[in-house]
Amino acid sequence: MLPENFLERIREMLGEEYPLFLQSYEEEPCHALRINTLKCNREYFLKKAPFQLTEVPWSKAGYYYNKDDRPGRHPYHDAGVYYIQEASAMAPVEYLDPQPGERILDLCAAPGGKSTQIAAKMKQQGLLVCNEIHSARAKILSENMERMGVCNSIVTNETPQRLAQMWDGYFDRILVDAPCSGEGMFRKNPKAWEEWSTQQVQVCALRQEEVLSCGAKMVKPGGRMVYSTCTFAPEEDEGAVWNFLKEHPDFSLVCAKRYSGMEPGNPAWAGPYSDQDEEKADELSGTIRLWPHKIKGEGHFLAIMQKRGELEPAEQRGGALLKGIPEKNCREYLAFRKEHLKDMDIPGIYVMFGEQLYLAPEETMSLDGLKVLRPGLHLGTVKKNRFEPSHALALAMQTRQAVHVLDLPWDSPEILDYLKGLALNVQGEKGWYLIAVDSFGIGWGKLSKTTMKNHYPKGLRRM
């Protein structure tokens, strides 16, 4: 049932391997998740999680699971202990190689798998900007950043062109996981091939060219940009990279280690070339293709590109920073923190949006004129003479940071009651409690006498 034009091209690309490619579409897609190392180390997770897990070769935090495990229904998923992510989709961020303390942009970020992977590698240090042009998808992105307990991220809903106007040469690393024709997802998502056409491939290639140019403007000299797609189309893969390199001679491809089953890109698929271009085009073999008949995963493509120049030290960076409010103006939150929190002096900039108090990362640039969904960690709501903590704060906390904790086993009836929004019968001191599942913060409760009032968000409750 796959599109005939698509199969024809794949037959030409793969030759003798074409039957193996077709055979892979008769097989069950692989299922994978990635441990959120902001909350959990691998050893603890492997000891506690009741799943059948095997390692994803290119990601230390990535694991294949059995399709019968259903990790999306486990309380650990609600607590942001892991992100369900296709294995091949974990590769681009591994090659981006984010470091703590850097300024990093995920330019086409929804739904948030790669953004949360970047955040885990940054260890809550530095600035991560996650952008999505479509508003509905940007909302999902923001929710996933919250669930995974990310403190140092900004979520924007802007065009790449608008960001490029404001943040020229601003980022150490940029991920461009470009919108594409989705051919690599045909096995996993039949709707992708139902919507496919050769015209769509051309439209995507033109759009990718523009997005890449915007990304190039925002990378610092010496910085890195990784371009990735989930398609096999040469126009969107080797062709897109070749056109970019011709237009941006200050960038060059970086050759990196390929894991078993990963294939080099094919320069011939981006041709034909002039005589003077042919030698330079050979560099395209430094790009990486992931084929579903070669690896345990879906189709993917990636290219690592470096901008000429020296990367400046963090202390020399410029830019107009966000102006927040003084800490003394957050008296309701400070009172709440003194009574209910421990070791929560996270560095940042306090920002108020109406009644909502946020803590933006220290290096946050001015956000004037931008559509911002998440200007940092949402601390909570400031009401008259009191402060109500946010769900995001609970998900970002460790149990050691709360004065009162109700820690429930993942298989207890109480944790399921909590996720349904029911009140719990509890003995203890009155006040706000961090509700946890096996020591992972999952939400808030407020104890009065022996009734723990449930503050789990209504929109997230289980039916």
Side-chain angles (χ1 to χ4, degrees), residues 124 239 268 283:
Q124 309 284 33
E283 295 178 17

Side-chain angles (χ1 to χ4, degrees), residues 183-367:
E183 295 175 1
M185 296 293 112
F186 282 0
R187 179 171 66 168
K188 186 179 177 184
N189 179 16
K191 281 191 176 181
W193 62 258
E194 290 171 6
E195 298 169 357
W196 180 91
S197 69
T198 54
Q199 292 80 9
Q200 185 199 21
V201 170
Q202 300 303 322
V203 168
C204 288
L206 289 172
R207 181 169 55 208
Q208 290 150 3
E209 183 179 334
E210 180 63 24
V211 174
L212 271 170
S213 293
C214 292
K217 190 176 181 186
M218 291 185 277
V219 181
K220 290 177 176 292
R224 171 173 289 196
M225 183 164 66
V226 169
Y227 172 69
S228 65
T229 72
C230 57
T231 190
F232 305 117
E235 300 97 318
E236 302 178 67
D237 294 344
E238 290 92 345
V241 173
W242 174 242
N243 289 333
F244 172 80
L245 292 174
K246 284 195 297 182
E247 293 295 321
H248 299 83
D250 53 337
F251 279 82
S252 59
L253 279 169
V254 176
C255 290
K257 170 188 174 182
R258 292 192 301 271
Y259 291 83
S260 178
M262 292 184 178
E263 292 284 304
N266 189 334
W269 293 340
Y273 308 102
S274 62
D275 292 341
Q276 61 265 36
D277 284 341
E278 192 163 355
E279 185 176 343
K280 182 171 176 55
D282 286 342
E283 295 178 17
L284 291 172
S285 59
T287 62
I288 298 173
R289 278 185 172 269
L290 287 75
W291 293 95
H293 64 289
K294 293 276 193 178
I295 54 140
K296 288 182 65 176
E298 304 307 313
H300 235 78
F301 170 88
L302 65 93
I304 310 150
M305 294 178 282
Q306 198 87 12
K307 193 172 187 178
R308 189 180 303 124
E310 293 295 323
L311 199 62
E312 68 200 30
E315 59 271 17
Q316 294 180 14
R317 297 169 181 165
L321 295 181
L322 177 70
K323 293 180 181 178
I325 60 174
E327 186 179 62
K328 64 182 181 181
N329 290 4
C330 308
R331 61 181 183 278
E332 293 88 355
Y333 167 68
L334 296 177
F336 171 86
R337 188 175 73 180
K338 183 177 180 181
E339 184 176 357
H340 298 292
L341 307 182
K342 299 182 292 185
D343 301 322
M344 281 299 290
D345 288 329
I346 306 171
I349 304 167
Y350 290 102
V351 185
M352 285 289 294
F353 286 84
E355 294 181 328
Q356 307 307 316
L357 180 65
Y358 289 82
L359 188 66
E362 281 188 309
E363 286 202 21
T364 302
M365 68 294 289
S366 172
L367 301 174

Side-chain angles (χ1 to χ4, degrees), residues 85-193:
Q85 185 178 22
E86 200 278 310
S88 296
M90 299 178 193
V93 171
E94 297 297 329
Y95 287 102
L96 184 68
D97 193 25
Q99 299 297 315
E102 292 183 328
R103 291 177 178 171
I104 299 179
L105 169 65
D106 187 352
L107 189 51
C108 313
K114 295 178 178 69
S115 285
T116 56
Q117 188 179 359
I118 293 169
K121 291 180 176 293
M122 294 180 74
K123 301 179 180 179
Q124 309 284 33
Q125 300 170 44
L127 173 67
L128 171 58
V129 177
C130 313
N131 182 68
E132 172 57 42
I133 191 171
H134 299 289
S135 57
R137 286 170 55 80
K139 186 170 184 262
I140 295 168
L141 166 65
S142 185
E143 290 167 353
N144 279 322
M145 300 306 287
E146 176 178 294
R147 181 171 63 86
M148 302 298 274
V150 180
C151 297
N152 65 322
S153 72
I154 307 297
V155 175
T156 57
N157 172 211
E158 281 293 348
T159 66
Q161 293 84 351
R162 175 71 175 136
L163 298 185
Q165 288 173 0
M166 295 189 65
W167 298 335
D168 191 352
Y170 202 84
F171 295 98
D172 300 293
R173 300 174 199 258
I174 293 181
L175 177 65
V176 179
D177 185 44
C180 68
S181 56
E183 295 175 1
M185 296 293 112
F186 282 0
R187 179 171 66 168
K188 186 179 177 184
N189 179 16
K191 281 191 176 181
W193 62 258

Side-chain angles (χ1 to χ4, degrees), residues 13-28:
M13 292 172 72
L14 291 180
E16 294 179 357
E17 290 185 19
Y18 178 67
L20 294 174
F21 175 83
L22 282 186
Q23 184 181 328
S24 73
Y25 278 72
E26 301 299 319
E27 299 167 0
E28 178 74 23

